[in-house]
Structures are given as C-alpha cells and as structure tokens.
Amino acid sequence: MRSLKRAVLSIGCLFAFAVSAFGQSDLQKIMQERKLTEQDVLAAAKTYQPSGRKDEFIVFSSGGQSGQVIVYGVPSMRIYKYIGVFTPEPWQGYGFDNESKAVLAEGRIHGKDITWGDTHHPNFTEKNGEYVGDYLFINDKANPRVAVINLKDFETTQIVVNPIIKSEHGGSFVTPNTEYVIEASQYAAPLDDLWHPIEEYEAVYRGAVTLWKFDYASGRIDVNKSFSLELPPYMQDLSDAGKGISMGWAFTNSFNSEMYTGGIEKGLPPMEAGMSRNDTDYLHIYNWQILEKLAKDSKNYKIYNNHKVITIEAAVKAGALFLIPESKSPHGVDVTPDGRYIIVGGKLDTHVSVYDFKKIKELIDKKEFASKDPYGIPVLDMKKTLHGQVELGLGPLHSSFDSKDGIVYTSLYVDSQVVRWDYKSLKVLDRINVHYNIGHLDTMEGKSAKPIGKYAIALDKLSIDRFNPIGPLHPQNHQLIDINGAKMDLLYDLPIGLGEPHDVVSIQASKLSPAVTYKMGTNSRTGKQHPAMTLAGQERVERDGKNVKIYMTAVRSHLNPEHIEVQKDDNVTIYLTNLERAQDETHGFAIDNYNVHMSAEPGKTASITFIADREGVFPYYCTEFCSALHLEMFGYLYVKDPNKKYESAKKMQLQTLSPQALETEYQKILATNKATDEVIGSVVKFLTEKGYEKYPKIKEQVVDALDQYSKIKEVKDKADAAYKAKDLNSAILWEYQVWQYLVKTADVGLRAKNNLVRELSTPMSPAATRGEVAYLEGGCNGCHVIGQVSSGPDITGALLRHEKGEEWIFSFIKDPAKHYEEEYVKALINYFNLRMPNQNMKDSEIKDIIEYMKWIDENAGLN
Ligand code: CUK
Ligand code: CUA
C-alpha cells in the first residue's frame, strides 16, 4: 500500500513540473567554473535536447568490425540503438533465438558460420533518388554480403552472400528507385572459386559488380533476379548510382590499373608501391538498364555458382561498359544530386576531379574513344570528360552535398579537414579542422537527390587526445558541424566505441514511421504471424518422443508456465509470446547456464531451441526490468536423467499458520484490495469526466490500465471459490494476485491522470514558474501538500480564505510571527501543533509564490 499512497501523493504534487530557472548570473558563473567560452555555450544550445525533446534527424552508422549498425540522433548525437546485423547481439536476442539465427544462417558462406562483419556503407531505399526510409541496406566488406534492415522495427531481416567474389567494398549503393543494390568487389580473385596461381592474375583473376534486385513487395533481395558484371582485376572500390541525366548508369572506381601483384616476401616491391605507379586508374562506367537486358540472354553471361555473370565482351559489345582515367589512387566517387557531375577524390592527389556526365554521354554516343584497355573496354579521354579539377588539399576522399546548388563538402584525410566548395564554379569556399583524419562525411540526406544540408558529420578515424584515455584502442570521433552559416562551426564530438564506422546516412526523423508494438504473435524476422503464436489460455507443453515444445506467454509479471520438466537430452523448444499491448513493455527470456536468450517486445513471438544436456534445476527468468515484480518473473526448468534413480529427500515439517491467523490475513488483503480499488475508481472517474478519450496517447495508457483491470474478475472468482472451499491459503494467494493487477492498473492509471492534468492545466506564467521554484527550494512542500491537508494546511484556496488575501499571505510569509496571535492562526497552530516558520524569503520570491498559488487555484478542479 505504501507505494500506492506515495503515488497518490505525487499526484497531489502534480503541479511540480520540472523547471530550470538559471538566471544570467548563474550561467556566467558556470561558464567561468567550467571554462566555457560563449562559442561553447552556443554549440551546447544548438545541440542540447531537453528531456523529452526529439531529434530532427536520425543517423544510421555502419558499426565497422562490430558488424552492426549504430543509430543516433542529430543534433543531439544521442545513441539510440545498435542493430545486430552480421554479428550476434544478445540484447535483441539476435543470434540466440531461432528466428534471428535463421537470418544469420543466410549469411553462412559455403556452410560456414560467419559471425562478424566489416560493415561500411549503409544506404536507404530511394524513390526518384530521394530517401524513402522503409529499408536500410548495409554491406560487409570482409565477407561479401549485403543485409536488409526493416525500418518498421529496426531489425535485420535478410542477408545475401555474394556468390562469386571473395571481398567487396563498393556496396551497398542504391539505384534511384531501389531497382538494384550495387555491390562492387575489392580484391580481385578467380570467379570460379578454384585455385589459380598469381601468375594467372591477368588471365583469370577478376573483379565484378553485382546488381542485387530488390523486391519491394516482399521487402527482400531477390537472388534469382540478381546478376553481376565481370570486370578486369583493377581492384574496384567505391561506387555510386547515376540519377537524373545519368539515370541508368553507375560508377565504380578502382586503384590497380597496374595489375600489380606484389611479393614483398620474395624481395619484390610491396603492393603499395606497385599499385600507385601509374598516374591514373580507371573509373568504370556501366549501364545497369542495358545489363539487365543482357542478363535475359544466355549468350551474354557465364554461370558461376548458379549466378549469372555478364562477360566483359558482351557488355562492351552492347555499349554498357566504359572506362575513364582518374587521378592516382582514387577513393570516393559521388554523383551530384542532379546526376550531372561525378566527383572523384584521390588519396594521393591534392585534387578532386569533377566529371561531366553530359560530356561523357556525348563521347559515348559519338563512339569517340581514346583507346582500349587490355580487356577491350573503350577508354574515354579524361580531359574531354572533365568539367574541371580543384585543388582542395591533401587526401581528398568523400563528398556530400548541400541543399544550396553546387555546394559540396569533401573530407581531407591527410589534412584532417572538411572543405566546402562549389563544384560548378570550382571554387573553394571554406574549410574547418576536424579531429582527426576524416574518412567519410555526411550532410543531412546529403547523398540523395534532395540534400537538406544543415549539419555535416565528420567521421574521424583517429581521436588521439580528444577524449578521456581508455586504453590503447581509441574510439572513433563523429563530429557534428553546423553548415548553415558562412563559416562552418564545430558543435559536438561523439566518441563511437564500437568498431570503425566508415560511413553514415541520415534521414529526417519524420520520414521514419517505426511500429510501437507488434501485431500479436508476429515473427519479427519475417513480418508474418508466427505459427507458434500463443495466446492467454493456450499455454501448453507438447511432447513428441525426445522433442518437447513449450508454448509460453509473458505478461507483467509472470511467465506461464512457471515449471517445465524435461528429461536429459531432450530437444527442447520454447516459444514465447509477449502478450503485452503496452508500449515499451518488453520481456526478455533466458535460462541460466544454457546460453539462450530472446527478446520479446510487445506482441512478438520468438523461440529458442536447445538440447537439455545437463541434469539439474535451472532457473529461467525475464531479463528486462519490466515492472515492480520483474524479479518474480521467473520459473524453473527441471532436467531429469531418465536412467537414474532419485531418492526423495525427507520432507521438512514447517510450522503452518493457525486458521484464525489465516482468516486475519485474508481479511487484511481484502481490505487492502478494497482501498486500492477505490483509488482506481476515483482515477477512472476523473479520467472519464475530463474526457481522456480526446487524447490518443492518454487513451492508449487507459486502455493498457483497463486491460490489466480486466484480468481481475477471473482471479477474484478463484479466490472466492477457494475461500468457500475453506482453502484459505489459496484464497489469500489469489487475493494477492488480484492486488497485483490492481497495483498495475493504478500505476498506469495514475500515469494517465498525471498526463491528462498536464494537458488540461493552464500554462504557468513566468512569475508562477519562478514561484514554484521558490516554493520547492524553500521547502514549503515539506508541510504543505497541494490538494491535501497534511502536516500543514492545503494551500489551495488559501488566498481566498482571507480578506485581502494577497496582502495577508504576503505579510504572513514575510513575517509569520507577527500573525501568531491572530485567532485564525492560533487555531491552526493548535490543530497542526506546528507554527509556520520564517523562511526569510525575498519580497520578489513571495510575490512569485503568490502567482504560483493563483495558478494552483485556477487548476484546483483538476486535482
Ligand atoms: S571507405 Cu572507409 S573511409 Cu569503406 Cu567508404 Cu572511404
Ligand atoms: Cu518481464 Cu521482467
């Protein structure tokens, strides 16, 4: 009852909204103490999100070697989630429950589990080149794979393994209407998956680009409709899809036109020397719309590992593949929002090159080629295709665009800078230092056809001295930059302590519409109803030989069943359905010592399978702190050896309660339940009278509360029946279960009431707000509880209880002793056995408190 009373009291104080009232002087004091400049405070003001405030943009970051995706908000840079993708992630049960194991199993390579990934480039589904935000793709550089993440629940639903290449880098880039997800190889290798000596490098080793077909209807990549294009062993690198005027084309650069193969161990110059010998490498230009047609005729492709690979020859013949020289060891390739220009950065060049697609297309149409490469691919003249080159600084890598026409931001790895420049006029406009050695950078929706700009995020590879030292392995540093003004402004450093995130994509939060709960019984990995969905009353154990299936439910705060008996070496599957409909009421499930865990969000059905190979008694429990009685949410798995004879232990004789004592306890819990029910009654009355139904969020809470309440009848009947049968012990236990439901109802109901009062109350004036602070800081609430008589009188209506109320109250607070002899005050002192003390309030504070009291009176009806 205690906690409930406290809850009721806190409703009494519901006018106590959080208020921060730093005066100017306080701010300056803190700035001095913390050595903050005005610039710092401005940066804080631009990024800080007060409690409850939502971010404008959501950023999806690759998790590097963690094989995961990191989700955070801009401008706050608060981290929201790590999505398990290529790597098991226990919180989400990813890789521990059967449903997600099936997803990870899709990522096996030739039957081998690959439980890590090197994620590099996340990208959204697109429509007309703009971000849609219903799916996210991400590639694994180490083990050439692409994963699909459903943004309805931020869960990974599919992994596809590239059938022909051994490593990749240029994925996952999306064509303007999500027709294909592009994945380009990195290190050339034989496509036939057999041994070939390095001497056969030019003859047999190949690169490739795979065009994964995305099927929108199923939300999955259709492996059968996907195909690849064979490419020379030039070490293909990053890619981007054309759009607008370059729609249908895609671009992939490379860094080994030398076809150098190294041999440091044989005394030959290393790879790095041989591969940066030529002044230029090749930008690959290919048309996926033509390739799509070629893939329909078997004379154009070879089959490797059941996968169509269009030959270089066929692509060249059809006019679908060209090369253009690009500056030494290029890295990033980014198509401008209108699709007209292609910007290529060079790791070993101080320039970026801006290619003009119009010029490229003219040369292609005129069949004006400068030469052919050794594989017969037409090479266009570099100069004739360039719009121009701009000297930006050392190590330009990646580019991202602004909403302003022609404005682009490029990262400089060696110089540790972000440069703002104009790709049309080829002028450098501004630069800012970052810390340190930036790889990718991203402006908001900056790689879409409609960039928003506003902020840039610098993905710095090294953080060196920026954070507290935490050992030799340093976090990466994601820096938020304000790009609205004429000068770029550094706002925030976010240490990323999970792998080396190569790239991020950002999207307006308003474009995402994730579900709050699942439809009851959903298998989240398929989006379909789980065949083992278990509703209340359907809980059961099914045994078929050594296979035992347990259909379990979870709801605050019990798992059903609470005892499971199996025999040693049984093959056990537990299907768990979370029956909750309330937002954020997730239950987790683990069995001690058995290495199983699942997360069941409201409505989800998940399952685990294991061999019960160890005899014993194993507690299982809910792993999310889901309610006050979360610790009680557990049960026992008994694993018994069928080949063993067990001797039963002697029963201990415990003292039992006398019938009178039981009756007393029974009456006590009855009274408690009655009192609790009355509180609920008053809350429900309040909610109904004040029209809670008009407020959807509050209505949701009331529905949840009543859902708990509706469970009482059945339990109460059991209690009554037990009492009738003179089984007092059971009657008492069932009454306690009634109390559980009552408390849960009251808990949610009071939360709903609190929120409703906030909706209905009039806004506080600044004076009243200050007054509340003075009231709380002065400790007035120690004796006065609003809406209640406690150790002092209720201050509601106090202003009205006196003639010239404001004047009297002012004088009374200022100098209470002056009034001690007044009849009214004397009576109060007698009644409460307390005197109102002098709190030494300033006049201004007293005035503010009076304003606060007026506001209380105005809203008294809501109490
Ligand atoms: S790559 Cu890492 S900095 Cu994989 Cu996109 Cu350029
Ligand atoms: Cu359910 Cu803790």
Side-chain angles (χ1 to χ4, degrees):
M1 248 356 255
R2 258 272 165 76
S3 66
L4 187 61
K5 232 185 240 155
R6 223 180 296 134
V8 174
L9 288 187
S10 75
I11 287 294
C13 298
L14 42 82
F15 298 106
F17 298 159
V19 171
S20 63
F22 291 122
Q24 175 91 28
S25 55
D26 290 332
L27 179 61
Q28 270 155 2
K29 210 174 115 215
I30 290 166
M31 283 172 67
Q32 248 166 26
E33 278 170 11
R34 299 200 61 219
K35 299 194 173 66
L36 299 175
T37 63
E38 214 168 278
Q39 193 67 16
D40 296 334
V41 174
L42 207 60
K46 283 180 182 177
T47 53
Y48 174 72
Q49 293 290 30
S51 177
R53 190 83 59 85
K54 312 278 196 297
D55 278 309
E56 188 181 353
F57 298 98
I58 300 294
V59 173
F60 294 80
S61 170
S62 76
Q65 301 91 329
S66 76
Q68 300 178 7
V69 163
I70 307 163
V71 185
Y72 60 81
V74 160
S76 76
M77 304 299 271
R78 294 177 298 192
I79 291 180
Y80 295 125
K81 197 176 247 180
Y82 300 110
I83 306 173
V85 184
F86 297 109
T87 314
E89 199 295 304
W91 173 46
Q92 294 148 71
Y94 190 66
F96 298 87
D97 66 37
N98 295 332
E99 293 68 23
S100 61
K101 275 182 181 170
V103 177
L104 277 171
E106 292 177 332
R108 283 186 187 142
I109 297 184
H110 293 300
K112 191 180 176 61
D113 276 329
I114 308 279
T115 52
W116 83 289
D118 188 8
T119 58
H120 272 238
H121 307 111
N123 271 299
F124 298 111
T125 36
E126 292 183 11
K127 190 149 193 233
N128 298 322
E130 292 175 42
Y131 295 157
V132 182
D134 46 7
Y135 296 93
L136 184 84
F137 306 98
I138 184 135
N139 66 323
D140 171 7
K141 170 172 164 147
N143 321 286
R145 301 182 290 179
V146 171
V148 181
I149 297 165
N150 189 339
L151 296 181
K152 267 276 166 274
D153 57 0
F154 288 49
E155 284 200 355
T156 305
T157 50
Q158 187 186 19
I159 297 175
V160 289
V161 178
N162 194 295
I164 53 163
I165 58 180
K166 292 290 198 314
S167 87
E168 62 107 285
H169 195 194
S172 44
F173 298 94
V174 176
T175 56
N177 293 300
T178 323
E179 297 92 343
Y180 290 98
V181 180
I182 298 170
E183 186 189 27
S185 63
Q186 178 105 84
Y187 304 119
L191 297 182
D192 62 10
D193 211 19
L194 300 173
W195 175 82
H196 293 273
I198 195 70
E199 289 71 30
E200 292 175 11
Y201 185 80
E202 292 170 5
V204 182
Y205 287 50
R206 287 291 177 272
V209 60
T210 300
L211 292 145
W212 292 107
K213 179 82 196 154
F214 186 67
D215 174 37
Y216 235 108
S218 63
R220 292 176 68 81
I221 286 171
D222 187 339
V223 174
N224 293 324
K225 288 194 180 140
S226 305
F227 58 90
S228 297
L229 166 65
E230 174 194 15
L231 292 175
Y234 294 157
M235 305 302 190
Q236 284 71 27
D237 200 36
L238 296 191
S239 310
D240 202 1
K243 53 195 152 199
I245 114 161
S246 55
M247 173 69 182
W249 295 84
F251 310 91
T252 296
N253 51 21
S254 60
F255 59 80
N256 187 22
S257 57
E258 298 86 349
M259 294 196 275
Y260 187 65
T261 55
I264 198 167
E265 70 290 338
K266 287 180 266 178
L268 294 170
M271 302 269 197
E272 59 172 324
M275 291 187 181
S276 47
R277 177 179 182 177
N278 289 356
D279 274 343
T280 55
D281 286 294
Y282 286 128
L283 176 66
H284 301 59
I285 303 174
Y286 46 94
N287 187 307
W288 55 264
Q289 288 175 331
I290 300 175
L291 295 173
E292 189 175 51
K293 287 188 196 118
L294 296 183
K296 295 206 164 89
D297 187 341
S298 64
K299 70 173 192 286
N300 299 317
Y301 56 77
K302 285 194 185 139
I303 299 279
Y304 293 104
N305 195 13
N306 286 324
H307 179 79
K308 293 176 189 173
V309 182
I310 296 168
T311 60
I312 293 176
E313 202 192 340
V316 167
K317 214 171 131 200
L321 176 61
F322 304 92
L323 300 171
I324 308 181
E326 47 185 4
S327 304
K328 226 179 182 53
S329 299
H331 189 48
V333 52
D334 295 285
V335 177
T336 56
D338 59 0
R340 167 90 184 256
Y341 302 98
I342 301 119
I343 299 176
V344 175
K347 300 187 297 268
L348 298 181
D349 194 346
T350 53
H351 293 87
V352 281
S353 303
V354 183
Y355 294 90
D356 184 345
F357 186 76
K358 238 175 142 182
K359 294 183 178 175
I360 295 173
K361 190 71 194 339
E362 274 166 23
L363 292 181
I364 289 175
D365 289 346
K366 284 194 291 192
K367 298 202 166 57
E368 188 187 322
F369 307 128
S371 62
K372 279 191 173 180
D373 86 330
Y375 297 88
I377 307 171
V379 180
L380 309 187
D381 184 280
M382 183 177 180
K383 281 215 184 89
K384 287 187 182 160
T385 54
L386 275 177
H387 169 60
Q389 288 183 309
V390 190
E391 181 158 4
L392 295 186
L394 293 176
L397 297 188
H398 299 286
S399 297
S400 190
F401 300 91
D402 203 330
S403 60
K404 296 175 201 108
D405 189 38
I407 304 300
V408 63
Y409 300 79
T410 297
S411 56
L412 302 185
Y413 178 81
V414 180
D415 272 343
S416 294
Q417 284 186 335
V418 169
V419 183
R420 174 197 273 160
W421 57 287
D422 187 320
Y423 60 80
K424 291 190 173 166
S425 69
L426 304 174
K427 284 207 179 84
V428 174
L429 303 171
D430 187 26
R431 59 180 73 233
I432 186 170
N433 293 330
V434 293
H435 314 87
Y436 306 88
N437 299 88
I438 175 176
H440 277 270
L441 88 166
D442 182 53
T443 48
M444 299 302 102
E445 300 201 5
K447 292 155 200 155
S448 74
K450 270 225 181 93
I452 294 170
K454 268 186 144 169
Y455 303 98
I457 300 168
L459 281 72
D460 306 321
K461 302 288 183 192
L462 310 189
S463 61
I464 308 182
D465 56 1
R466 303 315 275 189
F467 304 113
N468 295 54
I470 51 160
L473 180 61
H474 290 229
Q476 317 287 313
N477 187 9
H478 284 200
Q479 289 186 303
L480 186 71
I481 300 167
D482 181 348
I483 57 171
N484 291 297
K487 295 292 292 171
M488 289 181 274
D489 220 348
L490 188 60
L491 297 180
Y492 195 89
D493 284 18
L494 166 68
I496 295 268
L498 196 86
E500 186 199 286
H502 277 260
D503 193 12
V504 302
V505 272
S506 50
I507 191 166
Q508 289 173 81
S510 58
K511 282 190 180 172
L512 301 172
S513 54
V516 172
T517 58
Y518 288 106
K519 201 169 157 217
M520 194 52 70
T522 302
N523 172 347
S524 63
R525 303 292 165 178
T526 62
K528 302 199 178 98
Q529 192 184 81
H530 200 296
M533 165 172 89
T534 311
L535 300 178
Q538 298 175 343
E539 299 88 353
R540 65 197 182 276
V541 176
E542 283 174 5
R543 175 178 280 281
D544 173 14
K546 285 198 94 48
N547 296 319
V548 185
K549 292 181 171 173
I550 293 119
Y551 296 83
M552 185 184 274
T553 60
V555 75
R556 274 160 292 168
S557 306
H558 52 261
L559 296 160
N560 186 357
E562 291 181 334
H563 299 267
I564 302 171
E565 281 187 42
V566 300
Q567 302 206 317
K568 191 166 174 289
D569 297 327
D570 274 351
N571 181 20
V572 183
T573 300
I574 298 178
Y575 300 99
L576 177 69
T577 300
N578 180 350
L579 297 176
E580 307 278 356
R581 291 167 195 281
Q583 176 164 349
D584 204 11
E585 277 300 339
T586 295
H587 301 291
F589 182 89
I591 303 176
D592 295 332
N593 299 191
Y594 265 100
N595 196 34
V596 287
H597 182 242
M598 51 186 155
S599 169
E601 298 84 57
K604 192 188 215 178
T605 299
S607 64
I608 47 172
T609 299
F610 60 98
I611 305 285
D613 52 6
R614 232 183 94 200
E615 176 197 336
V617 177
F618 302 91
Y620 53 83
Y621 71 101
C622 168
T623 58
E624 289 270 344
F625 207 110
C626 51
S627 66
L629 290 167
H630 149 78
L631 293 176
E632 286 78 354
M633 193 165 182
F634 84 108
Y636 285 111
L637 169 75
Y638 304 90
V639 183
K640 201 172 169 185
D641 189 338
N643 302 315
K644 244 172 146 177
K645 263 219 149 53
Y646 293 92
E647 258 177 52
S648 62
K650 239 209 273 147
K651 284 223 169 104
M652 259 175 87
Q653 274 298 319
L654 295 181
Q655 261 189 334
T656 49
L657 290 174
S658 69
Q660 294 95 308
L662 281 172
E663 179 66 31
T664 312
E665 192 186 347
Y666 176 72
Q667 291 303 338
K668 200 174 131 211
I669 179 70
L670 274 192
T672 303
N673 284 351
K674 187 161 171 270
T676 314
D677 201 26
E678 276 163 13
V679 173
I680 292 169
S682 75
V683 171
V684 170
K685 185 162 166 266
F686 176 91
L687 288 166
T688 317
E689 280 175 5
K690 304 291 179 199
Y692 75 88
E693 294 201 320
K694 279 177 277 177
Y695 307 90
K697 283 258 160 66
I698 296 169
K699 196 173 157 189
E700 224 172 74
Q701 287 179 325
V702 174
V703 169
D704 183 31
L706 295 180
D707 185 46
Q708 295 288 330
Y709 198 73
S710 71
K711 297 186 172 122
I712 292 174
K713 166 119 200 350
E714 192 192 332
V715 181
K716 177 77 184 152
D717 287 349
K718 286 182 185 162
D720 291 347
Y723 187 74
K724 242 193 205 150
K726 298 218 162 43
D727 178 1
L728 257 84
N729 229 340
S730 299
I732 289 167
L733 289 177
W734 284 122
E735 285 295 344
Y736 270 108
Q737 184 57 39
V738 169
W739 187 64
Q740 288 306 331
Y741 285 127
L742 286 168
V743 170
K744 281 170 212 158
T745 308
D747 180 38
V748 186
L750 289 171
R751 224 186 302 159
K753 184 180 170 190
N754 214 339
N755 289 339
L756 186 57
V757 168
R758 276 162 193 263
E759 291 283 353
L760 297 176
S761 58
T762 54
M764 261 194 214
S765 68
T769 309
R770 287 194 305 267
E772 186 187 26
V773 175
Y775 174 84
L776 293 172
E777 285 179 352
C780 309
N781 57 335
C783 293
H784 302 281
V785 172
I786 297 156
Q788 269 191 3
V789 177
S790 58
S791 28
D794 183 1
I795 64 166
T796 315
L799 287 168
L800 311 169
R801 288 199 284 271
H802 299 270
E803 230 177 282
K804 296 203 182 148
E806 276 185 51
E807 251 169 64
W808 189 87
I809 294 279
F810 186 92
S811 160
F812 187 55
I813 298 177
K814 178 120 186 123
D815 186 4
K818 217 167 80 186
H819 298 270
Y820 285 162
E821 291 307 314
E822 288 172 20
E823 283 306 313
Y824 176 74
V825 178
K826 257 195 199 163
L828 286 180
I829 293 170
N830 267 335
Y831 181 84
F832 290 103
N833 206 9
L834 265 179
R835 291 162 184 220
M836 163 87 165
N838 190 333
Q839 302 291 74
N840 298 312
M841 294 257 179
K842 284 189 241 154
D843 286 4
S844 63
E845 284 175 325
I846 301 175
K847 278 188 193 140
D848 289 340
I849 287 179
I850 290 173
E851 287 309 307
Y852 174 53
M853 289 172 72
K854 284 188 199 160
W855 180 83
I856 290 169
D857 286 347
E858 257 171 52
N859 292 289
L862 295 176
N863 200 12

